[in-house]
Amino acid sequence: MAALSYTDAVNEALERLRGVGFEHGPRFVNHAPMAAEALAHMGYTDEVPGWVDRNLRTRTYHDVPELRWAIDPADRAGWRAALGDFARVGDWTALFERELSEDAWTEVLARWWPRLLPGMSGVLTHGVIRTAHAVRAVAAAGPDNHRQLSELAQGLGYWAARYAGHGAEVDPDSGELAAGTGTGTGTDAGAGALGDRRRDDGRDRDHEHDRGHDHGEGDGDGHGDGDGHGRDPAARALDELVAEYSGIYATVAQRHPIPLIHSVTGPAAVRLVIEYLPPDQRWPSYRVARSLSRTMLDWFQATPRPQAPLPEAPDVDEVFANAVQIGDEHAIKLAEVAVRHEAIAPDPRHAAAAQTANQGLGRLYL
């Protein structure tokens, strides 16, 4: 029997997961659509049905809250009041299903991304992560993309319903990070511990990213022209952020292997979406992702050790194969990030982080 195609594997998984609740247990996230898409993207399409089987067999998902009343996107006060209200997740999903049936998915994404971005921290970034996997699936789908669009509505709806700010504010109209946010106490908690955020000459790397944007280096529109390899400057900054926090994850002391994973997979999700966003939304997206990853260091009492050696790790493809054997959704998603980013900008920190997660999670599963 021929291997399933990526689209067939994703379609089958989404069909089987249709109507499955967003969470299980005490507010644990349903990772199944994300992990299934990651497996398919990595070419493990024949593994997807069995993985979904095991997930549904071992998880008891809560029912989706019933619809209450429609959210009017033209009523700003109304939809703002519904942000972060999980009882309205059905209403949010219905809103996005309507909008995605009327407008191009890229238009809907551009409209709502800056509105949802300040709430990226909700349920440890799983709203934006689920949205990002759905975006990749929609972008790869052909004309028959109704399952992928439905999953995108689910991702955006979950993000809106679990919206939770961490201090960064974004103007919902311009998409710009509000002045004075994303750099102050609390928002950048843990930033003082990041000694490796400065170059050898003492200049702040983050300031250099922002300076390149603010002074319009590159193509003259204020967004730059990439790094000579086709990368948008904000995308390049996100790639560096993913590598940085991969290195931190691989070398810090942790009480549990899962929570700090999201300091890597959160910005990696933003990176996955960045090319589909309008240029003026890209730098604010990077800044919010950067701010949130820093804040997670404080949340999980993780002190970076920039001089610590990286643990040994096999190549990223072997690391991903090991994650599939473990079967944990976090291991699979982080290893897929490692493979993806290694292809963009090779760095040993990618494999080291995924290997560290595999070792920690493997002790729980194997």
Side-chain angles (χ1 to χ4, degrees), residues 326-352:
I326 293 167
D328 177 78
E329 50 263 48
H330 297 91
I332 290 169
K333 291 194 296 174
L334 182 60
E336 188 272 319
V337 167
V339 174
R340 186 194 332 151
H341 280 266
E342 190 67 9
I344 297 170
D347 191 301
R349 291 175 289 184
H350 300 142

Side-chain angles (χ1 to χ4, degrees), residues 56-124:
L56 293 177
R57 190 170 59 248
T58 58
R59 302 280 192 271
T60 301
Y61 290 104
H62 305 313
D63 292 337
V64 177
E66 294 185 0
L67 296 175
R68 299 178 68 183
W69 51 84
I71 295 173
D72 181 358
D75 179 4
R76 176 167 295 195
W79 64 253
R80 280 182 179 273
L83 287 172
D85 184 353
F86 186 67
R88 305 291 304 280
V89 67
D91 299 329
W92 277 112
T93 302
L95 165 65
F96 289 119
E97 287 176 342
R98 291 194 304 272
E99 295 218 341
L100 288 165
S101 70
E102 296 169 356
D103 296 322
W105 66 268
T106 51
E107 293 179 14
V108 176
L109 186 69
R111 184 182 310 138
W112 284 94
W113 182 269
R115 298 171 178 177
L116 298 180
L117 187 62
M120 178 177 161
S121 72
V123 283
L124 285 181

Side-chain angles (χ1 to χ4, degrees), residues 1-15:
M1 180 182 297
L4 289 170
S5 69
Y6 166 81
T7 299
D8 287 343
V10 170
N11 278 340
E12 180 179 326
L14 293 179
E15 184 64 27

Side-chain angles (χ1 to χ4, degrees), residues 12 20 22 32 74 76 90 105 137 146 154 160 171 175 194 207 209 223 235 242 250 266 277 291 319-320 341:
E12 180 179 326
V20 174
F22 290 92
R76 176 167 295 195
W105 66 268
H146 67 280
Q154 300 272 321
D171 185 285
L194 292 177
H207 176 69
H209 285 314
H223 305 297
V242 168
L277 297 177
S291 165
V319 170
F320 187 83
H341 280 266

